[in-house]
Amino acid sequence: MSPEPRVANGPGTRGAPRSTALDVALLPATTGVLLATSFAPASLLVAPFVALTPLAVAVERAGRDARSAARRGLLAGIVAWGVLLTWVPTALAPVTRLGPAMYVAGVLVLAAFTALFAWTTSHLLHRGALPLWLAVPVAWTVAEWLRAHLGPLSFPWLELGVSLADRPALAAPAELVGGRGLGFWLALVAGITAEALAAPSRRRRRMLVAATLATLMPAAWGYVRVQGLEQTPVAQVAVVQPDLSRTVRAGPAAVDSALVRLALLSSRIPPGTVDLVVWPEAVLPTDPTTDPALADRLSDLVDRIGSSVLLGVYLRDAEGVTYNGAVLWEPERGDTGYRYRKRRLVPGVEAVPFLDPARLGGSAGFRSFGRGRDVGVHRLDAGPSFAPLICYEAIFASDARGGVSRGADFLVNITNDSWFGGDDGRQPTAALRHHPAHLVIRAVELRTGAVRAANSGISLFLEPSGRPYEATPVFSPEVRIAAVYRTEGRTLFSRVGDVAGWGSVLAALLALLCNGARRPRSIG
């Protein structure tokens, strides 16, 4: 039997695995640290551009041993997510003793996708015959794409491109390729750098020049784009942040307490001066559309405000299924009949995947929500239209894109992030900054303004450029009033969608299939 030929990728032959402590542990762990410091609170500028470089070098040194590469990727993921998810036990402590166990489970599940990245990179190198600089971004984007396309288990939290949310000029290419395309760009720079480290000195210089150009050219385009972006005011909006604690929201007088706080804060809004007032997710933990007395009280309050009010509630249908939703009340008219039901439910928190909520609603101590279907774009009497996103939905690019493609002038994200700080413990965690970072990327992808109303913060407005303004402090009752902006026309990403994700999946499949078809068969 003839031996299987080795495939050369770049300088030398990559086939013989080399296992040292540097390759097996130190390099993967370094990637984990760099990934963690790419996001808040560190948000290091250079980190996301080189985060994958050490792991890519470790994968290259593993030779054809894809399992060894996967183990190195798993270690990198454990380090990264072990840091990025430290808020989980704090957040869940008030409601369950399983917080530490859920933290460990979350870290391992997400680390598995980093292992998948390393495994895929190895296969693309040695079976797909791709060079390291290209295998890295393709494999990374495939892993992120899969994480976002698991049906009810999808969880595209803190994809690599989100690390650029604090830097509008660097995030600007998202209007062309989306947030996942930003991740491809960052991984490409890291892959070229890794290729340079494995190359002879003469070729290394060329690869480092290529890495520099790959970094600076999109960044320069983004700077010019942001400076010249024309933004037009489309609506005047008020955001109310009531800062209702968990004990208040879950107590027997929850509705009364919420209405008193909302009335007090909303009185700061001059009557009739705004097109829309936004209250947070589930600010009324009941269904006012089926309670005439509550509906009357709400109508009286909205009449005093003198503007349309979008508020988060729990909607209940005729079959007894509860939805995390939003309704719109108007002065003198009251309930407008507008209903939005959340379409993306947090796995294990708002629903048990693949099970009918109607069958679980009666379970003692358990509450499962139904899943909405409609995008919910609504045009106000004043003229502008908005697309709602409830909490977790802001991390899905396709949801925001669907709203804008159906005519929304701006995005409205209502959420309750108080539990990210342990709620009554008032311990701010990094998740309070991680969550709104996704909305920044949505605004840049679509070049549309966005409004965020969070129960305990961070509430804010976003320009189509991605720049935040009128942001609130956390754990403080606040009101913010500002104009919301839009741009003319639709972005490339809005028109064509996630080309970077689909393209990487197809590229990986073609590389593996085509190379496999060319490989000569062994003769016994």
Side-chain angles (χ1 to χ4, degrees):
M1 181 180 295
S2 59
E4 180 181 350
R6 289 182 177 178
V7 178
N9 294 288
T13 300
R14 293 172 181 151
R18 290 163 283 174
S19 296
T20 67
L22 175 68
D23 305 328
V24 174
L26 186 57
L27 288 175
T30 300
T31 282
V33 172
L34 289 171
L35 285 172
T37 54
S38 297
F39 300 93
S43 298
L44 300 182
L45 174 61
V46 178
F49 288 94
V50 297
L52 299 179
T53 298
L55 179 57
V57 171
V59 169
E60 190 273 339
R61 292 182 177 180
R64 295 183 179 277
D65 190 350
R67 292 184 179 180
S68 176
R71 288 193 293 270
R72 298 173 190 193
L74 182 66
L75 174 59
I78 288 174
V79 173
W81 291 108
V83 174
L84 293 172
L85 296 183
T86 50
W87 54 267
V88 171
T90 300
L92 297 181
V95 294
T96 178
R97 296 179 181 179
L98 297 178
M102 295 178 71
Y103 164 72
V104 172
V107 168
L108 292 177
V109 169
L110 291 171
F113 286 93
T114 315
L116 174 64
F117 153 69
W119 183 87
T120 304
T121 300
S122 178
H123 279 280
L124 291 175
L125 271 172
H126 303 293
R127 297 186 183 182
L130 291 186
L132 183 63
W133 65 266
L134 183 56
V136 169
V138 169
W140 181 261
T141 308
V142 167
E144 288 197 334
W145 182 90
L146 286 173
R147 186 152 61 94
H149 290 81
L150 295 175
L153 295 176
S154 300
F155 192 69
W157 181 263
L158 291 188
E159 291 185 341
L160 188 55
V162 177
S163 65
L164 301 181
D166 291 339
R167 299 176 172 88
L170 294 181
E175 73 169 86
L176 305 176
V177 295
R180 201 160 293 128
L182 291 180
F184 185 98
W185 171 39
L186 296 171
L188 175 65
V189 174
I192 297 174
T193 306
E195 186 83 41
L197 295 177
S201 58
R202 181 177 300 178
R203 187 166 182 267
R204 181 178 302 149
R205 287 192 293 270
R206 293 199 300 268
M207 295 301 296
L208 289 175
V209 170
T212 302
L213 292 175
T215 302
L216 295 181
M217 291 177 67
W221 178 88
Y223 177 80
V224 173
R225 173 61 171 155
V226 169
Q227 296 302 313
L229 191 64
E230 295 185 2
Q231 304 178 148
T232 305
V234 67
Q236 194 76 3
V237 177
V239 171
V240 178
Q241 177 177 300
D243 191 32
L244 299 167
S245 69
R246 186 189 301 273
T247 53
V248 170
R249 294 174 68 246
V255 173
D256 291 335
S257 300
L259 286 176
V260 169
R261 180 71 63 85
L262 291 167
L264 179 63
L265 292 171
S266 298
S267 66
R268 301 179 188 176
I269 306 168
T273 59
V274 299
D275 301 304
L276 180 67
V277 177
V278 185
W279 294 348
E281 173 191 17
V283 70
L284 295 182
T286 186
D287 188 348
T289 68
T290 61
D291 184 338
L294 176 57
D296 288 342
R297 294 177 63 189
L298 186 56
S299 295
D300 290 341
L301 176 53
V302 173
D303 286 345
R304 294 198 300 272
I305 295 172
S307 301
S308 299
V309 177
L310 180 74
L311 63 151
V313 299
Y314 289 154
L315 294 167
R316 192 172 180 85
D317 66 13
E319 287 73 35
V321 176
T322 300
Y323 296 86
N324 187 351
V327 295
L328 186 72
W329 240 253
E330 289 182 353
E332 299 182 359
R333 182 181 173 188
D335 182 5
T336 63
Y338 173 80
R339 308 284 185 268
Y340 176 72
R341 297 169 178 84
K342 188 178 181 184
R343 294 170 290 157
R344 301 278 189 175
L345 303 179
V346 182
V349 176
E350 292 182 312
V352 175
F354 311 113
L355 291 182
D356 183 356
R359 299 177 59 186
L360 295 167
S363 302
F366 184 83
R367 185 172 204 172
S368 184
F369 291 96
R371 192 180 304 275
R373 294 290 182 266
D374 297 332
V375 174
V377 173
H378 181 77
R379 186 167 297 279
L380 299 167
D381 289 341
S385 59
F386 66 87
L389 299 169
I390 297 182
C391 184
Y392 176 69
E393 292 178 322
I395 76 175
F396 292 88
S398 59
D399 289 16
R401 176 173 171 259
V404 171
S405 67
R406 287 167 174 79
D409 294 309
F410 61 100
L411 303 173
V412 177
N413 181 208
I414 60 174
T415 187
N416 172 32
D417 285 359
S418 60
W419 64 289
F420 283 150
D423 201 66
D424 297 330
R426 305 303 199 193
Q427 304 172 42
T429 66
L432 287 166
R433 293 179 61 187
H434 292 167
H435 197 189
H438 297 84
L439 187 63
V440 174
I441 301 300
R442 303 292 84 84
V444 176
E445 287 172 335
L446 304 167
R447 289 303 180 197
T448 188
V451 177
R452 188 175 198 264
N455 173 37
S456 295
I458 302 171
S459 301
L460 50 75
F461 292 76
L462 290 169
E463 292 182 353
S465 67
R467 185 186 72 85
Y469 57 106
E470 295 293 343
T472 64
V474 295
F475 302 124
S476 174
E478 301 286 343
V479 175
R480 293 290 188 271
I481 303 173
V484 184
Y485 299 85
R486 59 164 294 176
T487 57
E488 294 300 323
R490 293 176 58 187
T491 64
L492 180 63
F493 175 77
S494 175
R495 295 178 182 276
V496 303
D498 184 23
V499 173
W502 284 101
S504 294
V505 171
L506 291 175
L509 292 174
L510 287 174
L512 294 173
L513 291 175
C514 292
N515 191 66
R518 290 195 303 267
R519 183 174 298 168
R521 294 182 180 179
S522 299
I523 300 175

